[in-house]
């Protein structure tokens, strides 16, 4: 049985809280919402990891109506979950050197060679759980446990766009330059967020990602 | 700047941080886009109302004054928000009012004695391209507004409408006060009675490292009764996060879409504007309220805007 809780966040949002095992169902809810409803409901959905938040204008919609609607969407999502056909996107990455200044540190932590780390990072088919933190930043699930590395004691003030990093049990890609505390193991030339593209994000929740090692950007 | 309209204002001194803002961009959450928009959503709407603009028109958000610009054409304009002792060629202007700038005149804003942000509205709003339903600048991602950046000396600002003579009009704004109201957040219980008391009884001070993303607070540190590991979840303006150092962060309009810290409180919608005017070193109290009070405060604010709009319409 799935655990489910819905609680308010202030007077303008409701949080639907379940767990990571239900992420595909939450993704189905978001996709269905974007296809069917986003323009005319007045609602906005924000996907998290194992949770989903519904924002609404309390002067236009009552919290009771929003709650009812959210419960209906959750019930419907059980049938929609099979319909998610996420893309599989290959991300070409140059590992180590200037592109990945922390690769050797990660290898030391894992008691592996640099080459083994690269192979371990390129093996899984990662799932995009949600997009957050920065425009276009994918939260990826599937990092091999041996590569889990605590965040840097001191975050870098500037991480270059395209950097591929490891933070704790997560791996991800910085779509734009930003401060960041993850260990940087490589970089991709692929644009993850392009304000002129439609949609602007290369990746969406529900997509799958595989990293492919290459020699130069 | 790419614009179909004639420039009517030239920036001579942008001050600490001046950017184009409106009421924000609510539709990009699943791309990771912050809502953004004016840090004081109340003042920007007053500035627009005074000029007969739509409420979501774009205006300049000027941070801590220190701003100077010259009118290249005669136009009406409105100022609202922090009182920067504005002067038009030396003549002192009241805050929260409409004026007429004549070609060649200089508008100058000094540092405000109180508050942080002043909004300068022009007829029809500032003319910059719409990006996903909004003209606001997202400085962190260098998107939207004025080429995604703050304004520089020499920038030429155009308005979207030809000037219409506006009657002189000034508004008495509500007092900001020292109290900001909140609704208990999802992790409020985990704070325990002691922590809850600590949160509401103390005079919190705004840290100098605050910006449009968030207000960092200084005071007696809080601790959770049971430390909790959180999965990433949605956060927004007014969300009060508690990082491990025990000092709360209240997110402002450029809040990231998701975060991982426990959420102990959510500032009520009607009081968000107060946060945008809290300056480093200033202190304030946090007052817990129920949903019903949050809703009636929001409805009262909405009614105030309606009354103001009709008052302005009758003096036109």
């Amino acid at each position: 049985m799935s655990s489910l809780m819905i609680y308010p966040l202030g007077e303008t949002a409701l949080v639907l809280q379940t767990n990571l095992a239900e992420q595909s169902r939450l993704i189905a809810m978001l996709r269905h919402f974007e296809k069917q409803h986003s323009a005319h409901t007045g609602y906005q959905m924000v996907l998290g990891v194992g949770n989903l938040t519904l924002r609404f204008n309390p002067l236009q919609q009552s919290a009771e109506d929003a709650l009812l609607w959210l419960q209906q969407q959750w019930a419907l999502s059980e049938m929609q979950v099979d319909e998610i056909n996420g893309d599989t996107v290959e991300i070409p990455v140059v590992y180590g050197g200037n592109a990945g200044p922390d690769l050797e540190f990660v290898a030391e932590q894992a008691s592996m060679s640099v080459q083994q780390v690269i192979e371990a990072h390129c093996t899984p088919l990662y799932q995009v759980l949600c997009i957050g933190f920065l425009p276009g930043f994918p939260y990826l699930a599937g990092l091999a446990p041996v590569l889990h590395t605590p965040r840097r004691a001191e975050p870098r003030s500037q991480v270059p766009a395209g950097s591929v990093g490891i933070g704790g049990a997560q791996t991800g890609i910085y779509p734009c330059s930003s401060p960041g505390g993850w260990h940087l193991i490589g970089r991709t030339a692929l644009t993850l967020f392009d304000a002129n593209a439609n949609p602007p994000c290369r990746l969406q929740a529900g997509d799958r990602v595989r990293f492919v090692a290459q020699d130069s950007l | 700047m790419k614009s179909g309209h004639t420039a009517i204002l030239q920036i001579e001194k942008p001050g600490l941080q001046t950017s184009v803002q409106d009421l924000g961009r609510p539709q990009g959450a699943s791309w990771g886009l912050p809502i953004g928009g004016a840090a004081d959503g109340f003042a920007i709407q007053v500035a627009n109302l005074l000029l007969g603009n739509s409420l979501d028109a774009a205006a300049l958000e000027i941070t801590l004054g220190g701003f100077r610009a010259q009118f290249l054409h005669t136009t009406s304009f409105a100022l609202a928000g922090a009182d920067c002792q504005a002067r038009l060629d030396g003549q002192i202007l009241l805050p929260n009012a409409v004026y007429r700038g004549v070609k060649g005149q200089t508008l100058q804003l000094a540092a405000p004695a109180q508050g942080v942000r002043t909004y300068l509205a022009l007829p029809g709003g500032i003319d910059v391209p719409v990006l996903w339903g909004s003209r606001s600048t997202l400085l962190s991602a260098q998107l939207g507004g004025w080429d995604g950046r703050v304004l520089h000396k020499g920038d030429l600002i155009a308005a979207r409408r030809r000037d219409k003579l506006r009657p002189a009009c000034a508004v008495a704004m509500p007092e900001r006060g020292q109290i900001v109201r909140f609704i208990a957040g999802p992790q409020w219980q985990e704070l325990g009675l002691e922590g809850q008391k600590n949160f509401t009884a103390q005079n919190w001070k705004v840290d100098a490292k605050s910006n449009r993303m968030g207000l960092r607070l200084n005071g007696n540190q809080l601790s959770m009764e049971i430390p909790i590991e959180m999965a990433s979840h949605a956060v927004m303006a007014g969300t009060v996060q508690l990082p491990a150092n025990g000092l709360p962060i209240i997110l402002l309009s450029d809040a990231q879409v998701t975060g991982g810290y426990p959420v102990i409180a959510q500032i009520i919608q009607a009081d968000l504007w107060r946060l945008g005017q809290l300056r480093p070193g200033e202190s304030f109290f946090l007052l817990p309220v129920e949903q019903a009070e949050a809703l009636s405060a929001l409805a009262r604010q909405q009614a105030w805007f309606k009354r103001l709009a009709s008052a302005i319409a009758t003096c036109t």
Side-chain angles (χ1 to χ4, degrees):
Chain A
M1 209 184 86
S2 63
S3 72
L4 180 71
M5 252 194 318
I6 298 180
Y7 50 79
L9 175 62
E11 76 279 34
T12 64
L14 289 172
V15 184
L16 187 152
Q17 175 79 52
T18 170
N19 49 48
L20 190 52
E22 299 285 3
Q23 190 71 15
S24 296
R25 203 166 154 182
L26 296 176
I27 292 169
M29 259 176 96
L30 177 73
R31 291 203 168 186
H32 180 70
F33 172 75
E34 289 187 327
K35 254 197 315 219
Q36 307 288 328
H37 294 291
S38 54
H40 48 269
T41 54
Y43 292 128
Q44 295 147 28
M45 269 190 188
V46 184
L47 182 62
V49 175
N51 58 71
L52 184 147
T53 299
L54 184 72
R55 297 182 191 147
F56 59 96
N57 177 346
L59 296 182
Q60 279 162 17
Q61 287 136 326
S62 71
E64 290 75 20
D65 288 350
L67 175 62
L68 209 68
W69 187 83
L70 190 59
Q71 285 169 325
Q72 283 167 0
Q73 296 303 305
W74 171 253
L76 279 174
S77 66
E78 190 165 23
M79 291 166 314
Q80 292 154 348
V81 69
D82 300 331
E83 297 167 20
I84 314 177
N85 288 310
D87 292 342
T88 298
V89 181
E90 290 201 340
I91 311 253
V93 177
V94 173
Y95 286 92
N98 285 336
D102 300 326
L103 180 62
E104 285 179 16
F105 177 82
V106 171
E108 256 170 57
Q109 289 277 305
S111 310
M112 290 166 95
S113 71
V114 159
Q115 195 49 42
Q116 286 171 321
V117 170
I118 295 172
E119 279 164 23
H121 194 254
C122 288
T123 303
L125 192 56
Y126 298 94
Q127 189 194 18
V128 180
L129 298 176
C130 66
I131 304 286
F133 175 50
L134 294 168
F137 185 98
Y139 281 83
L140 299 176
L143 183 67
V146 66
L147 294 185
H148 296 186
T149 317
R151 288 173 180 75
R152 286 170 58 90
E154 203 185 324
R156 286 188 170 85
S157 57
Q158 201 75 302
V159 170
S163 292
V164 176
I166 289 176
Q170 308 171 89
T171 186
I173 311 153
Y174 288 82
C176 52
S177 84
S178 135
W182 290 21
H183 293 281
L184 309 181
I185 59 171
R187 197 181 307 161
T188 180
L190 196 72
T191 303
L192 290 177
F193 188 87
D194 176 0
N196 298 313
N198 185 25
C201 288
R202 183 70 184 81
L203 299 172
Q204 289 188 63
D207 285 349
R208 313 225 157 227
V209 164
R210 198 189 298 281
F211 293 107
V212 180
Q214 59 170 26
D215 294 334
S216 62
L217 284 172
Chain B
M1 176 86 201
K2 355 113 199 198
S3 140
H5 297 84
T6 320
I8 55 174
L9 200 65
Q10 178 163 30
I11 305 292
E12 291 181 346
K13 232 176 97 188
L16 199 61
Q17 186 182 86
T18 294
S19 62
V20 176
Q21 298 295 341
D22 58 14
L23 293 181
R25 186 173 283 122
Q27 295 303 338
S30 50
W31 306 331
L33 282 178
I35 295 176
D40 178 350
F42 192 90
I44 193 174
Q45 292 187 76
V46 169
N48 279 322
L49 268 175
L50 284 167
L51 270 187
N53 290 346
S54 67
L55 290 176
D56 61 353
L60 296 186
E61 180 180 276
I62 299 161
T63 311
L64 293 170
F67 173 92
R68 197 174 72 226
Q70 195 190 26
F71 288 101
L72 305 178
H73 289 276
T74 299
T75 181
S76 50
F77 66 94
L79 290 170
D83 180 2
C84 291
Q85 309 272 298
R87 284 166 185 268
L88 191 59
D89 266 3
Q91 176 208 343
I92 293 184
L93 308 182
L94 289 173
N96 312 309
V98 179
Y99 290 98
R100 192 165 183 76
V102 175
K103 183 177 177 179
Q105 281 189 318
T106 298
L107 174 69
Q108 190 152 7
L109 272 62
Q114 280 184 41
V116 178
R117 295 173 174 97
T118 309
Y119 295 87
L120 168 57
L122 293 173
I126 308 289
D127 187 32
V128 294
V130 175
L131 184 65
W132 303 307
S134 166
R135 292 186 168 84
S136 60
T137 317
L138 182 57
L139 294 170
S140 58
Q142 302 173 331
L143 287 175
W146 195 272
D147 283 342
R149 63 164 170 85
V150 296
L151 295 184
H152 297 161
K153 183 183 174 179
D155 285 341
L156 297 170
I157 313 293
R160 298 190 58 242
R161 190 153 42 72
R162 291 289 300 196
D163 182 34
K164 213 167 80 181
L165 187 65
R166 302 292 306 177
C169 200
V171 177
M173 296 279 268
E175 286 288 321
R176 184 153 53 87
Q178 265 202 304
I179 289 168
V180 175
R181 291 168 287 182
F182 72 90
I183 293 174
Q187 280 76 51
W188 176 249
Q189 292 306 326
E190 283 86 340
L191 206 48
L193 280 180
E194 196 60 33
Q196 292 171 3
K197 218 178 102 192
N198 194 357
F199 185 63
T200 52
Q202 67 172 301
N203 203 359
W204 289 103
K205 219 173 199 165
V206 178
D207 188 85
K209 286 198 293 286
S210 303
N211 55 27
R212 283 180 43 89
M213 270 182 90
L215 285 176
R216 289 168 181 273
L217 306 189
N218 282 323
N220 301 323
Q221 287 149 294
L222 306 174
S223 61
M224 302 296 250
E225 278 192 327
I226 312 151
I228 34 178
E229 273 302 309
M230 301 282 300
S232 285
H233 51 260
V235 293
M236 54 196 183
T239 299
V240 185
Q241 299 182 316
L242 187 64
N245 70 2
L247 294 173
I249 297 172
I250 310 184
L251 299 177
L252 292 189
S253 47
D254 276 354
Q256 66 276 25
V257 173
T258 55
Y261 293 125
V263 172
I264 54 175
Q266 178 70 37
I267 306 300
I268 70 169
Q269 201 73 4
D271 284 359
L272 284 182
W273 67 278
R274 298 174 203 269
L275 300 174
Q277 296 293 1
L278 283 165
R279 56 201 295 163
E282 194 173 349
S283 52
F284 65 102
F285 288 95
L286 288 158
L287 179 75
V289 296
E290 300 292 331
Q291 296 269 353
E293 181 168 344
L295 286 178
S296 66
L298 191 58
R300 278 199 304 278
Q301 203 172 75
Q302 209 75 345
W304 189 89
F305 274 120
K306 281 212 177 106
R307 282 201 306 278
L308 179 60
S310 59
I312 288 170
T314 53
C315 70
T316 305

